[in-house]
Amino acid sequence: MSILQNWENLQNRLSILQRRPQVIAVSKTKPISLIREACESGILVFGENRIQEAMEKFIPLQKEGINFELHHIGPVQSGTLKKLFGLFRYTHGVGSLSTLEDLSKRSEKSTSKLGFFLQVNLTQEDSKHGFSESEIINLLPRISQYETEHLEFSGLMTMGPTNEDKDLTRTVFRRLFQIREEYCVGKKISMGMSGDFEIALEEGTDIIRVGSLLFGTR
Ligand SMILES: *Cc1c(COP(=O)(O)O)cnc(C)c1O
């Protein structure tokens, strides 16, 4: 199926569910030809997890004058975070205090704006990146101290469990929603991928990040 058909199927699904989340089309590992096809299908919000790969694919599209919005969706590492400024409008994987401090410091030298999502690890899997529930609850009341003219706190991001257990997925998505309601109402939540976006929608997400559903398996 074409990207356009996949996109229309997703839009139909969303309208049946009566939800209008922002959809991030995750184009990681996919070639620029498919990203162009997506742009021609009316998709303009993309997600990439590797900064170098994103630069190789999206700087040429930028030069062609395509008006995309790019989100960084992988873990943010201190060594590479300066490259986030400029090409990316948002980053969804700020998962530690030291990264947040580095991002904040770096943003003072930037001339373009970056919004950030704090990644929360609610499944308690060691393999997962992100703040624990107690860490995030501690941090949120003082999050504004890390914001600068070019760095804005946008919301919270989480991922479902690696084993894709549906009940646990729902539990962690519901918890993220509650944390937002309690500690940062007005900010966005980013949760739900190709395999679990419907649960995320039922639990009130604002943003879904779907890759394979639109572009095919990786
Ligand atoms: C790859 C990835 C996605 C998209 O995954 P799909 O299962 O292909 O929809 C979403 N979020 C993050 C953080 C990812 O790394």
Side-chain angles (χ1 to χ4, degrees), residues 160-216:
T162 308
N163 70 10
E164 300 180 7
D165 179 272
K166 288 211 172 353
D167 293 334
L168 183 55
T169 302
R170 188 176 296 282
T171 303
V172 304
F173 287 175
R174 187 164 294 180
R175 187 65 195 128
L176 194 72
F177 185 90
Q178 289 168 342
I179 293 171
R180 191 270 304 271
E181 294 301 290
E182 210 168 320
Y183 299 95
C184 58
V185 75
K187 300 298 175 184
K188 297 231 149 60
I189 44 184
S190 164
M191 59 189 191
M193 325 201 312
S194 294
D196 56 16
F197 76 92
E198 299 204 340
I199 300 175
L201 291 169
E202 286 163 5
E203 297 304 328
T205 195
D206 300 297
I207 301 174
I208 59 175
R209 310 176 309 267
V210 292
S212 45
L213 195 74
L214 296 172
F215 294 103

Side-chain angles (χ1 to χ4, degrees), residues 21-40:
Q22 181 177 39
V23 180
I24 300 177
V26 177
S27 52
K28 65 187 185 196
T29 79
K30 298 296 178 184
I32 191 165
S33 57
L34 285 189
I35 298 169
R36 258 203 205 92
E37 186 185 331
C39 293
E40 284 158 12

Side-chain angles (χ1 to χ4, degrees), residues 10 22 38 42 44 66 80 87 97 117 134 136 144 150 190 198:
L10 175 61
Q22 181 177 39
L44 287 169
I66 297 174
T80 51
L87 189 59
L97 208 50
F117 289 77
S134 59
I136 202 78
S144 63
H150 294 114
S190 164
E198 299 204 340

Side-chain angles (χ1 to χ4, degrees), residues 71-87:
H71 293 238
H72 178 257
I73 57 167
V76 179
Q77 262 114 24
S78 289
T80 51
L81 58 79
K82 66 171 189 284
K83 294 188 184 154
L84 286 172
F85 293 92
L87 189 59

Side-chain angles (χ1 to χ4, degrees), residues 53-65:
E53 179 188 335
M55 289 168 69
E56 284 162 18
K57 295 191 297 194
F58 283 88
I59 290 174
L61 294 171
Q62 198 171 46
K63 287 187 179 145
E64 288 169 30

